[in-house]
PDB file of all heavy atoms in Angstrom:
ATOM      1  N   ARG A1414      39.149   1.712 -85.708  1.00 97.00           N
ATOM      2  CA  ARG A1414      37.837   2.322 -85.578  1.00 97.00           C
ATOM      3  C   ARG A1414      36.828   1.761 -86.716  1.00 97.00           C
ATOM      4  O   ARG A1414      35.749   1.441 -86.379  1.00 97.00           O
ATOM      5  CB  ARG A1414      38.047   3.818 -85.834  1.00 97.00           C
ATOM      6  CG  ARG A1414      38.532   4.599 -84.588  1.00 97.00           C
ATOM      7  CD  ARG A1414      38.622   6.024 -84.771  1.00 97.00           C
ATOM      8  NE  ARG A1414      37.369   6.657 -85.141  1.00 97.00           N
ATOM      9  CZ  ARG A1414      36.549   7.004 -84.280  1.00 97.00           C
ATOM     10  NH1 ARG A1414      36.759   6.926 -83.017  1.00 97.00           N
ATOM     11  NH2 ARG A1414      35.386   7.588 -84.557  1.00 97.00           N
ATOM     12  N   GLU A1415      37.401   1.656 -87.921  1.00 94.00           N
ATOM     13  CA  GLU A1415      36.392   1.351 -89.066  1.00 94.00           C
ATOM     14  C   GLU A1415      36.181  -0.154 -89.234  1.00 94.00           C
ATOM     15  O   GLU A1415      35.224  -0.631 -89.517  1.00 94.00           O
ATOM     16  CB  GLU A1415      36.973   1.949 -90.353  1.00 94.00           C
ATOM     17  CG  GLU A1415      37.472   3.351 -90.164  1.00 94.00           C
ATOM     18  CD  GLU A1415      36.225   4.449 -89.972  1.00 94.00           C
ATOM     19  OE1 GLU A1415      35.046   4.083 -90.248  1.00 94.00           O
ATOM     20  OE2 GLU A1415      36.563   5.410 -89.346  1.00 94.00           O
ATOM     21  N   LEU A1420      35.940   2.148 -80.937  1.00 98.00           N
ATOM     22  CA  LEU A1420      35.839   3.587 -81.163  1.00 98.00           C
ATOM     23  C   LEU A1420      36.319   4.399 -79.994  1.00 98.00           C
ATOM     24  O   LEU A1420      36.247   5.598 -79.939  1.00 98.00           O
ATOM     25  CB  LEU A1420      34.287   3.802 -81.291  1.00 98.00           C
ATOM     26  CG  LEU A1420      33.636   3.220 -82.582  1.00 98.00           C
ATOM     27  CD1 LEU A1420      32.175   3.471 -82.509  1.00 98.00           C
ATOM     28  CD2 LEU A1420      34.181   3.875 -83.827  1.00 98.00           C
ATOM     29  N   SER A1421      36.993   3.661 -79.035  1.00 98.00           N
ATOM     30  CA  SER A1421      37.606   4.505 -77.933  1.00 98.00           C
ATOM     31  C   SER A1421      38.826   5.206 -78.399  1.00 98.00           C
ATOM     32  O   SER A1421      39.219   6.164 -77.753  1.00 98.00           O
ATOM     33  CB  SER A1421      38.001   3.592 -76.728  1.00 98.00           C
ATOM     34  OG  SER A1421      39.114   2.776 -77.137  1.00 98.00           O
ATOM     35  N   LYS A1423      40.538   7.921 -80.717  1.00 98.00           N
ATOM     36  CA  LYS A1423      40.063   9.040 -81.520  1.00 98.00           C
ATOM     37  C   LYS A1423      41.108   9.622 -82.312  1.00 98.00           C
ATOM     38  O   LYS A1423      42.330   9.550 -81.957  1.00 98.00           O
ATOM     39  CB  LYS A1423      39.687  10.149 -80.509  1.00 98.00           C
ATOM     40  CG  LYS A1423      38.796   9.667 -79.317  1.00 98.00           C
ATOM     41  CD  LYS A1423      37.374   9.262 -79.822  1.00 98.00           C
ATOM     42  CE  LYS A1423      36.495   8.901 -78.726  1.00 98.00           C
ATOM     43  NZ  LYS A1423      35.225   8.232 -79.181  1.00 98.00           N
ATOM     44  N   GLY A1425      42.614  13.145 -84.165  1.00 97.00           N
ATOM     45  CA  GLY A1425      42.502  14.589 -84.059  1.00 97.00           C
ATOM     46  C   GLY A1425      43.211  15.301 -85.181  1.00 97.00           C
ATOM     47  O   GLY A1425      42.888  16.476 -85.570  1.00 97.00           O
ATOM     48  N   CYS A1426      44.148  14.754 -85.747  1.00 97.00           N
ATOM     49  CA  CYS A1426      45.018  15.317 -86.874  1.00 97.00           C
ATOM     50  C   CYS A1426      45.285  14.497 -87.911  1.00 97.00           C
ATOM     51  O   CYS A1426      45.551  14.827 -89.119  1.00 97.00           O
ATOM     52  CB  CYS A1426      46.296  15.943 -86.205  1.00 97.00           C
ATOM     53  SG  CYS A1426      47.452  14.745 -85.670  1.00 97.00           S
ATOM     54  N   TRP A1427      45.299  13.108 -87.663  1.00 97.00           N
ATOM     55  CA  TRP A1427      45.636  12.138 -88.688  1.00 97.00           C
ATOM     56  C   TRP A1427      46.978  12.329 -89.353  1.00 97.00           C
ATOM     57  O   TRP A1427      47.306  11.947 -90.467  1.00 97.00           O
ATOM     58  CB  TRP A1427      44.495  12.068 -89.732  1.00 97.00           C
ATOM     59  CG  TRP A1427      43.207  11.905 -89.098  1.00 97.00           C
ATOM     60  CD1 TRP A1427      42.630  10.724 -88.682  1.00 97.00           C
ATOM     61  CD2 TRP A1427      42.133  12.958 -88.927  1.00 97.00           C
ATOM     62  NE1 TRP A1427      41.335  10.984 -88.067  1.00 97.00           N
ATOM     63  CE2 TRP A1427      41.103  12.276 -88.243  1.00 97.00           C
ATOM     64  CE3 TRP A1427      42.188  14.190 -89.154  1.00 97.00           C
ATOM     65  CZ2 TRP A1427      40.108  13.052 -87.816  1.00 97.00           C
ATOM     66  CZ3 TRP A1427      41.008  14.988 -88.757  1.00 97.00           C
ATOM     67  CH2 TRP A1427      39.901  14.418 -88.033  1.00 97.00           C
ATOM     68  N   THR A1461      41.953   2.431 -74.747  1.00 98.00           N
ATOM     69  CA  THR A1461      41.108   2.687 -73.566  1.00 98.00           C
ATOM     70  C   THR A1461      39.985   1.832 -73.293  1.00 98.00           C
ATOM     71  O   THR A1461      39.543   1.532 -72.161  1.00 98.00           O
ATOM     72  CB  THR A1461      40.630   4.209 -73.676  1.00 98.00           C
ATOM     73  OG1 THR A1461      41.748   5.000 -73.777  1.00 98.00           O
ATOM     74  CG2 THR A1461      39.814   4.659 -72.500  1.00 98.00           C
ATOM     75  N   ARG A1465      39.196  -0.870 -68.480  1.00 92.00           N
ATOM     76  CA  ARG A1465      38.270  -1.206 -67.400  1.00 92.00           C
ATOM     77  C   ARG A1465      38.138  -2.693 -67.389  1.00 92.00           C
ATOM     78  O   ARG A1465      38.246  -3.491 -68.232  1.00 92.00           O
ATOM     79  CB  ARG A1465      36.976  -0.713 -67.852  1.00 92.00           C
ATOM     80  CG  ARG A1465      35.832  -0.676 -66.865  1.00 92.00           C
ATOM     81  CD  ARG A1465      34.736   0.040 -67.491  1.00 92.00           C
ATOM     82  NE  ARG A1465      33.566  -0.030 -66.524  1.00 92.00           N
ATOM     83  CZ  ARG A1465      32.581   0.872 -66.517  1.00 92.00           C
ATOM     84  NH1 ARG A1465      32.412   1.706 -67.522  1.00 92.00           N
ATOM     85  NH2 ARG A1465      31.609   0.701 -65.559  1.00 92.00           N
ATOM     86  N   GLN A1474      41.534   5.866 -64.591  1.00 97.00           N
ATOM     87  CA  GLN A1474      40.189   6.349 -64.988  1.00 97.00           C
ATOM     88  C   GLN A1474      39.492   7.029 -63.764  1.00 97.00           C
ATOM     89  O   GLN A1474      38.911   8.086 -63.859  1.00 97.00           O
ATOM     90  CB  GLN A1474      39.324   5.223 -65.461  1.00 97.00           C
ATOM     91  CG  GLN A1474      39.818   4.703 -66.779  1.00 97.00           C
ATOM     92  CD  GLN A1474      39.037   3.385 -67.240  1.00 97.00           C
ATOM     93  OE1 GLN A1474      38.878   2.435 -66.422  1.00 97.00           O
ATOM     94  NE2 GLN A1474      38.587   3.461 -68.519  1.00 97.00           N
ATOM     95  N   PHE A1477      41.195  10.402 -62.939  1.00 96.00           N
ATOM     96  CA  PHE A1477      40.808  11.347 -63.962  1.00 96.00           C
ATOM     97  C   PHE A1477      39.395  11.921 -63.632  1.00 96.00           C
ATOM     98  O   PHE A1477      39.118  13.103 -63.707  1.00 96.00           O
ATOM     99  CB  PHE A1477      40.780  10.791 -65.380  1.00 96.00           C
ATOM    100  CG  PHE A1477      41.982  11.037 -66.203  1.00 96.00           C
ATOM    101  CD1 PHE A1477      43.245  10.554 -65.662  1.00 96.00           C
ATOM    102  CD2 PHE A1477      42.050  11.631 -67.344  1.00 96.00           C
ATOM    103  CE1 PHE A1477      44.456  10.756 -66.341  1.00 96.00           C
ATOM    104  CE2 PHE A1477      43.280  11.905 -68.072  1.00 96.00           C
ATOM    105  CZ  PHE A1477      44.425  11.457 -67.508  1.00 96.00           C
ATOM    106  N   PHE A1481      38.681  15.856 -62.123  1.00 93.00           N
ATOM    107  CA  PHE A1481      38.033  16.663 -63.255  1.00 93.00           C
ATOM    108  C   PHE A1481      39.037  16.747 -64.362  1.00 93.00           C
ATOM    109  O   PHE A1481      39.211  17.953 -64.823  1.00 93.00           O
ATOM    110  CB  PHE A1481      37.700  17.942 -62.631  1.00 93.00           C
ATOM    111  CG  PHE A1481      36.398  18.530 -63.150  1.00 93.00           C
ATOM    112  CD1 PHE A1481      35.212  18.562 -62.446  1.00 93.00           C
ATOM    113  CD2 PHE A1481      36.384  18.951 -64.518  1.00 93.00           C
ATOM    114  CE1 PHE A1481      34.079  19.099 -63.002  1.00 93.00           C
ATOM    115  CE2 PHE A1481      35.239  19.454 -65.052  1.00 93.00           C
ATOM    116  CZ  PHE A1481      33.974  19.620 -64.359  1.00 93.00           C
ATOM    117  N   ALA A1483      39.097  15.811 -67.356  1.00 96.00           N
ATOM    118  CA  ALA A1483      38.628  15.831 -68.745  1.00 96.00           C
ATOM    119  C   ALA A1483      37.483  16.843 -68.858  1.00 96.00           C
ATOM    120  O   ALA A1483      36.547  16.889 -68.016  1.00 96.00           O
ATOM    121  CB  ALA A1483      38.002  14.520 -69.009  1.00 96.00           C
ATOM    122  N   GLN A1484      37.488  17.691 -69.888  1.00 95.00           N
ATOM    123  CA  GLN A1484      36.511  18.670 -70.188  1.00 95.00           C
ATOM    124  C   GLN A1484      35.703  18.074 -71.345  1.00 95.00           C
ATOM    125  O   GLN A1484      34.631  17.454 -71.159  1.00 95.00           O
ATOM    126  CB  GLN A1484      37.097  20.034 -70.339  1.00 95.00           C
ATOM    127  CG  GLN A1484      37.657  20.630 -69.075  1.00 95.00           C
ATOM    128  CD  GLN A1484      38.257  22.011 -69.172  1.00 95.00           C
ATOM    129  OE1 GLN A1484      37.589  22.873 -69.790  1.00 95.00           O
ATOM    130  NE2 GLN A1484      39.425  22.234 -68.776  1.00 95.00           N
ATOM    131  N   CYS A1485      36.173  18.280 -72.571  1.00 97.00           N
ATOM    132  CA  CYS A1485      35.384  17.827 -73.719  1.00 97.00           C
ATOM    133  C   CYS A1485      35.662  16.288 -73.753  1.00 97.00           C
ATOM    134  O   CYS A1485      34.867  15.589 -74.303  1.00 97.00           O
ATOM    135  CB  CYS A1485      35.828  18.493 -74.966  1.00 97.00           C
ATOM    136  SG  CYS A1485      37.303  18.001 -75.654  1.00 97.00           S
ATOM    137  N   GLY A1486      36.807  15.741 -73.238  1.00 97.00           N
ATOM    138  CA  GLY A1486      37.057  14.414 -73.185  1.00 97.00           C
ATOM    139  C   GLY A1486      37.672  13.769 -74.369  1.00 97.00           C
ATOM    140  O   GLY A1486      37.983  12.550 -74.456  1.00 97.00           O
ATOM    141  N   TYR A1487      37.843  14.612 -75.460  1.00 98.00           N
ATOM    142  CA  TYR A1487      38.318  13.939 -76.627  1.00 98.00           C
ATOM    143  C   TYR A1487      39.780  13.603 -76.571  1.00 98.00           C
ATOM    144  O   TYR A1487      40.174  12.674 -77.272  1.00 98.00           O
ATOM    145  CB  TYR A1487      38.126  15.064 -77.788  1.00 98.00           C
ATOM    146  CG  TYR A1487      38.108  14.483 -79.224  1.00 98.00           C
ATOM    147  CD1 TYR A1487      36.964  13.808 -79.597  1.00 98.00           C
ATOM    148  CD2 TYR A1487      39.161  14.507 -80.015  1.00 98.00           C
ATOM    149  CE1 TYR A1487      36.838  13.323 -80.883  1.00 98.00           C
ATOM    150  CE2 TYR A1487      39.093  13.961 -81.306  1.00 98.00           C
ATOM    151  CZ  TYR A1487      37.880  13.306 -81.782  1.00 98.00           C
ATOM    152  OH  TYR A1487      37.893  12.729 -82.981  1.00 98.00           O
ATOM    153  N   LEU A1493      45.038   8.871 -71.314  1.00 98.00           N
ATOM    154  CA  LEU A1493      45.092   7.694 -70.313  1.00 98.00           C
ATOM    155  C   LEU A1493      46.166   6.617 -70.806  1.00 98.00           C
ATOM    156  O   LEU A1493      46.851   6.105 -70.021  1.00 98.00           O
ATOM    157  CB  LEU A1493      43.658   7.040 -70.416  1.00 98.00           C
ATOM    158  CG  LEU A1493      42.628   7.773 -69.582  1.00 98.00           C
ATOM    159  CD1 LEU A1493      41.234   7.341 -69.967  1.00 98.00           C
ATOM    160  CD2 LEU A1493      42.870   7.715 -68.111  1.00 98.00           C
ATOM    161  N   ILE A1519      48.157  16.708 -76.761  1.00 97.00           N
ATOM    162  CA  ILE A1519      47.536  18.076 -76.829  1.00 97.00           C
ATOM    163  C   ILE A1519      46.173  17.936 -76.174  1.00 97.00           C
ATOM    164  O   ILE A1519      45.241  17.174 -76.449  1.00 97.00           O
ATOM    165  CB  ILE A1519      47.489  18.696 -78.021  1.00 97.00           C
ATOM    166  CG1 ILE A1519      48.759  19.033 -78.587  1.00 97.00           C
ATOM    167  CG2 ILE A1519      46.598  19.953 -78.126  1.00 97.00           C
ATOM    168  CD1 ILE A1519      48.931  19.609 -80.010  1.00 97.00           C
ATOM    169  N   ARG A1521      43.250  20.663 -75.940  1.00 96.00           N
ATOM    170  CA  ARG A1521      42.939  22.132 -76.085  1.00 96.00           C
ATOM    171  C   ARG A1521      41.996  22.710 -75.113  1.00 96.00           C
ATOM    172  O   ARG A1521      41.864  23.934 -75.119  1.00 96.00           O
ATOM    173  CB  ARG A1521      42.361  22.172 -77.539  1.00 96.00           C
ATOM    174  CG  ARG A1521      43.307  22.459 -78.671  1.00 96.00           C
ATOM    175  CD  ARG A1521      44.100  23.644 -78.436  1.00 96.00           C
ATOM    176  NE  ARG A1521      43.331  24.872 -78.932  1.00 96.00           N
ATOM    177  CZ  ARG A1521      43.822  25.975 -78.799  1.00 96.00           C
ATOM    178  NH1 ARG A1521      44.976  26.245 -78.172  1.00 96.00           N
ATOM    179  NH2 ARG A1521      43.054  27.009 -79.236  1.00 96.00           N
TER     180      ARG A1521
ATOM    181  N   ARG B 907      31.274  15.740 -63.493  1.00 88.00           N
ATOM    182  CA  ARG B 907      30.766  16.027 -64.708  1.00 88.00           C
ATOM    183  C   ARG B 907      29.670  14.853 -64.978  1.00 88.00           C
ATOM    184  O   ARG B 907      30.105  13.718 -64.836  1.00 88.00           O
ATOM    185  CB  ARG B 907      31.703  16.111 -65.843  1.00 88.00           C
ATOM    186  CG  ARG B 907      32.616  17.201 -65.826  1.00 88.00           C
ATOM    187  CD  ARG B 907      33.556  17.019 -67.028  1.00 88.00           C
ATOM    188  NE  ARG B 907      32.737  17.244 -68.265  1.00 88.00           N
ATOM    189  CZ  ARG B 907      32.547  18.354 -68.903  1.00 88.00           C
ATOM    190  NH1 ARG B 907      33.162  19.457 -68.532  1.00 88.00           N
ATOM    191  NH2 ARG B 907      31.845  18.478 -69.988  1.00 88.00           N
ATOM    192  N   HIS B 913      33.768   9.844 -70.927  1.00 97.00           N
ATOM    193  CA  HIS B 913      35.082  10.368 -71.357  1.00 97.00           C
ATOM    194  C   HIS B 913      36.268   9.351 -71.003  1.00 97.00           C
ATOM    195  O   HIS B 913      37.167   9.157 -71.741  1.00 97.00           O
ATOM    196  CB  HIS B 913      35.394  11.733 -70.795  1.00 97.00           C
ATOM    197  CG  HIS B 913      34.467  12.834 -71.282  1.00 97.00           C
ATOM    198  ND1 HIS B 913      33.596  12.672 -72.337  1.00 97.00           N
ATOM    199  CD2 HIS B 913      34.319  14.114 -71.005  1.00 97.00           C
ATOM    200  CE1 HIS B 913      32.983  13.732 -72.609  1.00 97.00           C
ATOM    201  NE2 HIS B 913      33.463  14.696 -71.863  1.00 97.00           N
ATOM    202  N   VAL B 914      36.176   8.976 -69.698  1.00 97.00           N
ATOM    203  CA  VAL B 914      37.427   8.073 -69.284  1.00 97.00           C
ATOM    204  C   VAL B 914      37.285   6.698 -69.737  1.00 97.00           C
ATOM    205  O   VAL B 914      38.235   5.971 -69.781  1.00 97.00           O
ATOM    206  CB  VAL B 914      37.570   8.170 -67.757  1.00 97.00           C
ATOM    207  CG1 VAL B 914      37.730   9.618 -67.186  1.00 97.00           C
ATOM    208  CG2 VAL B 914      36.471   7.495 -66.989  1.00 97.00           C
ATOM    209  N   THR B 915      36.092   6.292 -70.279  1.00 97.00           N
ATOM    210  CA  THR B 915      36.083   4.892 -70.794  1.00 97.00           C
ATOM    211  C   THR B 915      36.084   4.922 -72.265  1.00 97.00           C
ATOM    212  O   THR B 915      35.940   3.916 -72.829  1.00 97.00           O
ATOM    213  CB  THR B 915      34.773   4.174 -70.193  1.00 97.00           C
ATOM    214  OG1 THR B 915      33.645   5.055 -70.566  1.00 97.00           O
ATOM    215  CG2 THR B 915      34.873   3.918 -68.718  1.00 97.00           C
ATOM    216  N   GLY B 916      36.146   5.993 -72.862  1.00 97.00           N
ATOM    217  CA  GLY B 916      36.164   6.183 -74.266  1.00 97.00           C
ATOM    218  C   GLY B 916      34.862   5.831 -74.970  1.00 97.00           C
ATOM    219  O   GLY B 916      34.823   5.351 -76.103  1.00 97.00           O
ATOM    220  N   TYR B 920      30.888  10.979 -79.646  1.00 98.00           N
ATOM    221  CA  TYR B 920      31.082  12.117 -80.536  1.00 98.00           C
ATOM    222  C   TYR B 920      30.431  11.836 -81.982  1.00 98.00           C
ATOM    223  O   TYR B 920      30.187  10.588 -82.172  1.00 98.00           O
ATOM    224  CB  TYR B 920      32.607  12.370 -80.698  1.00 98.00           C
ATOM    225  CG  TYR B 920      33.323  12.578 -79.395  1.00 98.00           C
ATOM    226  CD1 TYR B 920      33.788  11.593 -78.657  1.00 98.00           C
ATOM    227  CD2 TYR B 920      33.340  13.864 -78.837  1.00 98.00           C
ATOM    228  CE1 TYR B 920      34.380  11.785 -77.369  1.00 98.00           C
ATOM    229  CE2 TYR B 920      33.821  14.158 -77.608  1.00 98.00           C
ATOM    230  CZ  TYR B 920      34.426  13.080 -76.809  1.00 98.00           C
ATOM    231  OH  TYR B 920      34.993  13.298 -75.655  1.00 98.00           O
ATOM    232  N   ASP B 922      31.399  11.314 -84.825  1.00 98.00           N
ATOM    233  CA  ASP B 922      32.167  10.404 -85.711  1.00 98.00           C
ATOM    234  C   ASP B 922      32.159   9.005 -85.084  1.00 98.00           C
ATOM    235  O   ASP B 922      32.694   8.150 -85.682  1.00 98.00           O
ATOM    236  CB  ASP B 922      33.433  10.921 -85.976  1.00 98.00           C
ATOM    237  CG  ASP B 922      34.125  10.174 -87.225  1.00 98.00           C
ATOM    238  OD1 ASP B 922      33.336   9.732 -88.056  1.00 98.00           O
ATOM    239  OD2 ASP B 922      35.277  10.342 -87.428  1.00 98.00           O
ATOM    240  N   ASP B 923      31.464   8.855 -83.949  1.00 98.00           N
ATOM    241  CA  ASP B 923      31.489   7.486 -83.329  1.00 98.00           C
ATOM    242  C   ASP B 923      30.262   6.775 -83.756  1.00 98.00           C
ATOM    243  O   ASP B 923      29.801   5.782 -82.933  1.00 98.00           O
ATOM    244  CB  ASP B 923      31.616   7.597 -81.811  1.00 98.00           C
ATOM    245  CG  ASP B 923      33.045   8.098 -81.369  1.00 98.00           C
ATOM    246  OD1 ASP B 923      33.866   7.946 -82.213  1.00 98.00           O
ATOM    247  OD2 ASP B 923      33.113   8.688 -80.344  1.00 98.00           O
ATOM    248  N   ARG B 925      28.505   4.507 -86.702  1.00 96.00           N
ATOM    249  CA  ARG B 925      28.931   3.650 -87.886  1.00 96.00           C
ATOM    250  C   ARG B 925      27.733   3.367 -88.774  1.00 96.00           C
ATOM    251  O   ARG B 925      26.675   2.935 -88.290  1.00 96.00           O
ATOM    252  CB  ARG B 925      29.618   2.408 -87.433  1.00 96.00           C
ATOM    253  CG  ARG B 925      31.008   2.590 -86.902  1.00 96.00           C
ATOM    254  CD  ARG B 925      31.950   3.039 -87.984  1.00 96.00           C
ATOM    255  NE  ARG B 925      33.147   3.712 -87.643  1.00 96.00           N
ATOM    256  CZ  ARG B 925      33.177   4.949 -87.271  1.00 96.00           C
ATOM    257  NH1 ARG B 925      32.074   5.678 -87.374  1.00 96.00           N
ATOM    258  NH2 ARG B 925      34.239   5.505 -86.993  1.00 96.00           N
ATOM    259  N   GLU B1088      43.018  30.670 -83.980  1.00 95.00           N
ATOM    260  CA  GLU B1088      42.263  29.500 -84.217  1.00 95.00           C
ATOM    261  C   GLU B1088      41.838  28.672 -83.059  1.00 95.00           C
ATOM    262  O   GLU B1088      42.803  28.557 -82.125  1.00 95.00           O
ATOM    263  CB  GLU B1088      43.067  28.570 -85.281  1.00 95.00           C
ATOM    264  CG  GLU B1088      42.583  27.303 -85.508  1.00 95.00           C
ATOM    265  CD  GLU B1088      41.161  27.123 -85.948  1.00 95.00           C
ATOM    266  OE1 GLU B1088      40.763  28.005 -86.736  1.00 95.00           O
ATOM    267  OE2 GLU B1088      40.451  26.206 -85.407  1.00 95.00           O
ATOM    268  N   HIS B1089      40.706  28.166 -82.932  1.00 96.00           N
ATOM    269  CA  HIS B1089      40.316  27.496 -81.808  1.00 96.00           C
ATOM    270  C   HIS B1089      41.009  26.203 -81.631  1.00 96.00           C
ATOM    271  O   HIS B1089      41.319  25.706 -80.540  1.00 96.00           O
ATOM    272  CB  HIS B1089      38.817  27.224 -81.748  1.00 96.00           C
ATOM    273  CG  HIS B1089      38.016  28.389 -82.218  1.00 96.00           C
ATOM    274  ND1 HIS B1089      37.907  28.742 -83.477  1.00 96.00           N
ATOM    275  CD2 HIS B1089      37.236  29.199 -81.464  1.00 96.00           C
ATOM    276  CE1 HIS B1089      37.028  29.817 -83.550  1.00 96.00           C
ATOM    277  NE2 HIS B1089      36.625  30.132 -82.365  1.00 96.00           N
ATOM    278  N   ALA B1090      41.285  25.585 -82.850  1.00 96.00           N
ATOM    279  CA  ALA B1090      42.061  24.282 -82.800  1.00 96.00           C
ATOM    280  C   ALA B1090      41.466  23.235 -81.875  1.00 96.00           C
ATOM    281  O   ALA B1090      42.188  22.643 -81.087  1.00 96.00           O
ATOM    282  CB  ALA B1090      43.463  24.458 -82.601  1.00 96.00           C
ATOM    283  N   THR B1092      40.494  19.593 -80.503  1.00 97.00           N
ATOM    284  CA  THR B1092      41.103  18.419 -80.842  1.00 97.00           C
ATOM    285  C   THR B1092      40.263  17.577 -81.812  1.00 97.00           C
ATOM    286  O   THR B1092      40.700  16.902 -82.694  1.00 97.00           O
ATOM    287  CB  THR B1092      41.328  17.538 -79.614  1.00 97.00           C
ATOM    288  OG1 THR B1092      40.219  17.536 -78.702  1.00 97.00           O
ATOM    289  CG2 THR B1092      42.627  18.011 -78.876  1.00 97.00           C
ATOM    290  N   GLU B1093      38.964  17.574 -81.678  1.00 98.00           N
ATOM    291  CA  GLU B1093      38.017  17.136 -82.707  1.00 98.00           C
ATOM    292  C   GLU B1093      37.779  18.187 -83.740  1.00 98.00           C
ATOM    293  O   GLU B1093      37.242  19.214 -83.390  1.00 98.00           O
ATOM    294  CB  GLU B1093      36.655  16.603 -82.065  1.00 98.00           C
ATOM    295  CG  GLU B1093      35.683  16.144 -83.041  1.00 98.00           C
ATOM    296  CD  GLU B1093      34.202  16.283 -82.447  1.00 98.00           C
ATOM    297  OE1 GLU B1093      33.829  17.350 -82.070  1.00 98.00           O
ATOM    298  OE2 GLU B1093      33.473  15.269 -82.442  1.00 98.00           O
ATOM    299  N   VAL B1141      30.760  17.276 -77.778  1.00 97.00           N
ATOM    300  CA  VAL B1141      31.584  18.075 -78.683  1.00 97.00           C
ATOM    301  C   VAL B1141      32.980  17.996 -78.274  1.00 97.00           C
ATOM    302  O   VAL B1141      33.334  18.216 -77.198  1.00 97.00           O
ATOM    303  CB  VAL B1141      31.113  19.578 -78.697  1.00 97.00           C
ATOM    304  CG1 VAL B1141      31.921  20.416 -79.533  1.00 97.00           C
ATOM    305  CG2 VAL B1141      29.563  19.682 -79.064  1.00 97.00           C
ATOM    306  N   GLY B1142      33.909  17.561 -79.158  1.00 97.00           N
ATOM    307  CA  GLY B1142      35.283  17.514 -78.953  1.00 97.00           C
ATOM    308  C   GLY B1142      35.996  18.812 -78.870  1.00 97.00           C
ATOM    309  O   GLY B1142      37.067  18.921 -79.580  1.00 97.00           O
ATOM    310  N   GLY B1143      35.518  19.672 -78.096  1.00 96.00           N
ATOM    311  CA  GLY B1143      36.225  21.015 -77.949  1.00 96.00           C
ATOM    312  C   GLY B1143      35.502  21.929 -78.989  1.00 96.00           C
ATOM    313  O   GLY B1143      35.420  21.590 -80.180  1.00 96.00           O
ATOM    314  N   PHE B1145      34.984  26.094 -78.137  1.00 96.00           N
ATOM    315  CA  PHE B1145      35.484  27.360 -77.825  1.00 96.00           C
ATOM    316  C   PHE B1145      34.805  28.418 -78.693  1.00 96.00           C
ATOM    317  O   PHE B1145      35.591  29.478 -78.904  1.00 96.00           O
ATOM    318  CB  PHE B1145      36.934  27.423 -77.932  1.00 96.00           C
ATOM    319  CG  PHE B1145      37.564  26.045 -77.465  1.00 96.00           C
ATOM    320  CD1 PHE B1145      38.387  25.282 -78.271  1.00 96.00           C
ATOM    321  CD2 PHE B1145      37.394  25.538 -76.175  1.00 96.00           C
ATOM    322  CE1 PHE B1145      38.926  24.087 -77.909  1.00 96.00           C
ATOM    323  CE2 PHE B1145      37.924  24.406 -75.727  1.00 96.00           C
ATOM    324  CZ  PHE B1145      38.793  23.687 -76.586  1.00 96.00           C
ATOM    325  N   ARG B1171      33.861  15.613 -92.882  1.00 98.00           N
ATOM    326  CA  ARG B1171      34.820  15.805 -91.795  1.00 98.00           C
ATOM    327  C   ARG B1171      35.876  16.686 -92.280  1.00 98.00           C
ATOM    328  O   ARG B1171      36.536  16.322 -93.157  1.00 98.00           O
ATOM    329  CB  ARG B1171      35.222  14.365 -91.290  1.00 98.00           C
ATOM    330  CG  ARG B1171      36.368  14.486 -90.164  1.00 98.00           C
ATOM    331  CD  ARG B1171      36.561  13.051 -89.715  1.00 98.00           C
ATOM    332  NE  ARG B1171      37.749  12.454 -90.439  1.00 98.00           N
ATOM    333  CZ  ARG B1171      38.216  11.344 -90.283  1.00 98.00           C
ATOM    334  NH1 ARG B1171      37.716  10.520 -89.330  1.00 98.00           N
ATOM    335  NH2 ARG B1171      39.073  10.757 -91.098  1.00 98.00           N
ATOM    336  N   ARG B1174      42.612  18.122 -90.360  1.00 97.00           N
ATOM    337  CA  ARG B1174      43.310  19.270 -89.479  1.00 97.00           C
ATOM    338  C   ARG B1174      43.748  20.331 -90.246  1.00 97.00           C
ATOM    339  O   ARG B1174      43.641  21.492 -89.734  1.00 97.00           O
ATOM    340  CB  ARG B1174      44.493  18.470 -88.850  1.00 97.00           C
ATOM    341  CG  ARG B1174      45.308  19.349 -87.901  1.00 97.00           C
ATOM    342  CD  ARG B1174      44.479  20.050 -86.910  1.00 97.00           C
ATOM    343  NE  ARG B1174      43.743  19.252 -85.928  1.00 97.00           N
ATOM    344  CZ  ARG B1174      42.874  19.680 -85.001  1.00 97.00           C
ATOM    345  NH1 ARG B1174      42.662  21.002 -84.936  1.00 97.00           N
ATOM    346  NH2 ARG B1174      42.256  18.940 -84.292  1.00 97.00           N
TER     347      ARG B1174
END
Side-chain angles (χ1 to χ4, degrees):
Chain A
R1414 286 181 59 85
E1415 315 293 334
L1420 297 171
S1421 71
K1423 311 293 179 194
C1426 69
W1427 307 281
T1461 299
R1465 193 172 173 162
Q1474 292 174 310
F1477 268 56
F1481 213 112
Q1484 291 182 49
C1485 80
Y1487 203 77
L1493 285 167
I1519 290 174
R1521 268 302 276 177
Chain B
R907 294 181 62 97
H913 290 352
V914 301
T915 53
Y920 301 92
D922 200 18
D923 291 335
R925 284 290 159 279
E1088 165 55 36
H1089 317 75
T1092 45
E1093 174 206 54
V1141 179
F1145 324 118
R1171 175 175 84 178
R1174 175 54 58 188

